[in-house]
Amino acid sequence: MDRPRVVPARRHGRDRLYVRLPDGRNVAWYDREAARVNLLDAEHEDEVLAALAPYLTGPVAVGPPPVPTPADLARLSLHPDDDLAPNRPGEALLVDLDRAPGPARRLRPDPRRAELDAQRTVGDALDAMGGAGGHALHSLPLPGGHRVHHLLIGPGGLYALHVRSAHRQRVTVAEPQVRIGRRPPEPVLHRVRADADRAAHALTVEVRPVLVLAGARRVTVAAAPRGVRILTDADVPELARGGGVLKPADVEALYAAARDRRTWAGL
C-alpha cells in the first residue's frame, strides 16, 4: 500500500509541508512557524504524523485548522479580479514589454528590462522575508498610471518601496535629486514620498518611503533626505528587523485591505 507523501509549498508568505494521499488529496499540512500540524481528516492522523516525523523538530500541536480570522474571511471573499496578491514584481513592466516588445535588434539594451530585473530582485528579497510575520505586495496600481513597486507590511510597520536599477553604477543622492551613473539627475525622491503618502491615505496608517537602488556599486548621500530611507537591494532584509509597531492581527487586517484593488481605486 502506498504511503502519503510530503509536498513542500509556500502559502500566504509561509512555508508549509502538505501531506498528500496517493489519490492526490491533501489531508494535512505542517506549519513550521506555528509548530502545528493541521489535520483536514482526523482518520489519517497516524499516517500523517508518520510521514512528517523526519521533519518535526520539538513538540508540535496537532488538530483541525484554526478558525479563520476576520482578515482570512475577507481574503477568501475577495473576487479574483480585485485580488492584487498574485501580482508579480514588475507586473506593469511585464505587461508593457508584452504589448510593445520593441525591435528585435537594438543598439542599446531596452532600459525597461533593467528596471524589471531590479524590481524582480527586490521582490524576491521581500518574498523571502515572509517567515518574519509580514507580507509583501507588488506593483500596486494607482490612479493615473503610477504603481507602488512594492509594499511591505509587517510587525515593524509599512514600507512603500520604489526601485531604480543602478547596476554596477555610482549613485549620488542630493535632495530631491538622484543621479545614477552618467544619467541626468532626476527628482526621484518626490516620487518616492508621493507613493508612500498615497498608500498611507488609502490604508489610513503611516507608510514609510524607501528608495532601493538595485545593484549600485556605491551610493553617496550628500544630505540625508527628509523621511526617505535609502537602501541597496542587499540591504532590503534590514526592513524585517524592526518590530513592536503592529500586532499580528493588525498586520493581517492591513494586508487584507492592501491586496484589494478597490482600496486603491479612489485615490
Side-chain angles (χ1 to χ4, degrees):
M1 178 177 172
D2 293 332
R3 298 180 180 179
R5 61 193 182 99
V6 177
V7 180
R10 188 171 180 82
R11 294 289 302 278
H12 310 310
R14 302 178 75 159
D15 292 319
R16 292 179 175 178
L17 294 175
Y18 283 86
V19 180
R20 186 170 297 171
L21 295 179
D23 63 7
R25 182 163 51 99
N26 290 324
V27 289
W29 77 84
Y30 171 42
D31 187 332
R32 282 195 178 99
E33 185 179 339
R36 179 180 177 85
V37 176
N38 296 280
L39 289 170
L40 299 174
D41 190 338
E43 293 183 1
H44 294 278
E45 180 175 349
D46 292 340
E47 296 172 83
V48 165
L49 294 178
L52 287 173
Y55 306 95
L56 301 179
T57 55
V60 296
V62 180
V67 176
T69 65
D72 293 329
L73 295 175
R75 182 165 59 243
L76 291 171
S77 65
L78 190 60
H79 191 280
D81 290 344
D82 292 324
D83 191 359
L84 299 174
N87 278 12
R88 298 163 293 178
E91 185 78 34
L93 288 167
L94 285 164
V95 173
D96 189 44
L97 285 164
D98 185 56
R99 290 176 178 171
R105 296 183 179 179
R106 300 176 62 102
L107 294 176
R108 296 181 179 179
D110 191 329
R112 295 176 298 175
R113 297 195 179 277
E115 296 299 332
L116 175 59
D117 289 343
Q119 291 190 37
R120 281 174 164 168
T121 297
V122 174
D124 289 345
L126 291 170
D127 289 338
M129 292 157 52
H135 300 282
L137 293 166
H138 312 290
S139 197
L140 301 176
L142 300 173
H146 288 302
R147 296 258 177 167
V148 175
H149 291 170
H150 308 282
L151 183 71
L152 177 64
I153 306 170
L158 280 75
Y159 298 91
L161 288 77
H162 183 83
V163 180
R164 287 296 175 96
S165 173
H167 183 60
R168 296 181 181 177
Q169 298 181 82
R170 297 180 180 182
V171 181
T172 301
V173 180
E175 177 78 46
Q177 306 285 343
V178 175
R179 180 171 185 146
I180 300 175
R182 296 181 180 179
R183 288 181 250 171
E186 299 178 64
V188 175
L189 297 180
H190 289 329
R191 169 73 184 279
V192 178
R193 292 192 191 95
D195 288 351
D197 287 345
R198 296 178 81 179
H201 179 73
L203 299 169
T204 64
V205 67
E206 181 186 10
V207 179
R208 284 172 275 186
V210 179
L211 173 62
V212 183
L213 301 161
R217 184 172 65 179
R218 189 175 73 186
V219 178
T220 301
V221 180
R226 175 177 53 84
V228 179
R229 193 165 177 178
I230 309 293
L231 302 176
T232 67
D233 54 294
D235 301 325
V236 167
E238 293 179 6
L239 297 176
R241 294 174 188 165
V245 177
L246 294 175
K247 297 178 181 178
D250 297 328
V251 170
E252 295 301 321
L254 286 165
Y255 176 59
R259 69 184 293 179
D260 189 339
R261 185 182 301 274
R262 295 167 296 182
T263 299
W264 308 93
L267 293 175

